[in-house]
Amino acid sequence: MSEDRHPLPPGVTRRPVRRYTADGQLAPAEPDSVALEEPLDIRLSGDTVAITMRTPGADRFLVTGFLFAEGLIHSAEDLGGLAHCGHPGDEGYGNIVEVTPAPGLVIDLERVGATKRGTLTTAACGVCGRRSVDDLMATCSPVPPGPEIPASVLARATEHLRTVQPNFARTGGVHAAAALDEHGAVLAAFEDVGRHNAVDKVMGALVLEHGLRSSRASRPSAMRPTVLVVSGRVSFEIIQKAAVARCPLVASVSAGSSLAIDLAERAGITLATFVRNGRFNVYTHPERLREG
């Protein structure tokens, strides 16, 4: 059976493509699998907080992770309700999520700065309105020391992404993120066209399904992920999300930016980049890594 007859997995769609071949010919059009991208309007009590371009699916995790990373909520207990607006079959259904705070909770929308009230937040935007490491560290205390883990666990961290990227294998057009415990076991993993969205989906799953809490929650968190693994480069925003989640190590398949390294140093996070084939570069806090 040809590929165009197989049912499409979530997050994948098809578009016609014509391929230019090595012999200089333009082949006839045929269906091609491509990553699905649609807008998601995040509304809080009727007010649009942000619009992000994402791969549909796991929207409740994406929204929860976004609110958590922005400091608008600190635990699952801060959420009163979270649901798609409208009815199945309606135009645009599935692309608007309405969030209701828990009874008695007042959420300060000013914390999201430039993402507030409909300003477009693209999949490559992440933290908007925070311009320096100092701004973030004023609202997020450094991650405490420990735990110490074998360097080999970190060296193999990105291998876990290969098993959770079915859409990437089919399209080559999505990022992935995963949270691991100190033994390297996967706690949560997601794909998305936006690398920040993939991380938000992971964080949202940890909040809703594992009881993750920020340092500003009324009660301390009973868990925290040990390693945040990302498929793309590490920017300031990725480290920011790890800091809010109290995640002590970040591992990336690709490079890290200067500001990400500076923030990781200040936030007490071990940052490893180019984690591939059992090797990596570590820029900050190598004291967490045990050799051998």
Side-chain angles (χ1 to χ4, degrees), residues 5 28 34 87 115 139 152 163 188 213 230 246 288 291-292:
R5 292 194 169 191
V34 297
H87 303 281
T115 65
T139 62
S152 58
T163 64
R213 298 167 176 270
V230 294
R246 320 296 287 157
R288 285 196 180 92
E291 295 184 48

Side-chain angles (χ1 to χ4, degrees), residues 34-55:
V34 297
L36 186 60
E37 181 180 35
E38 293 183 358
L40 180 67
D41 184 349
I42 302 172
R43 297 181 183 178
L44 184 59
S45 299
D47 234 356
T48 292
V49 179
I51 301 172
T52 186
M53 305 305 294
R54 97 300 189 198
T55 299

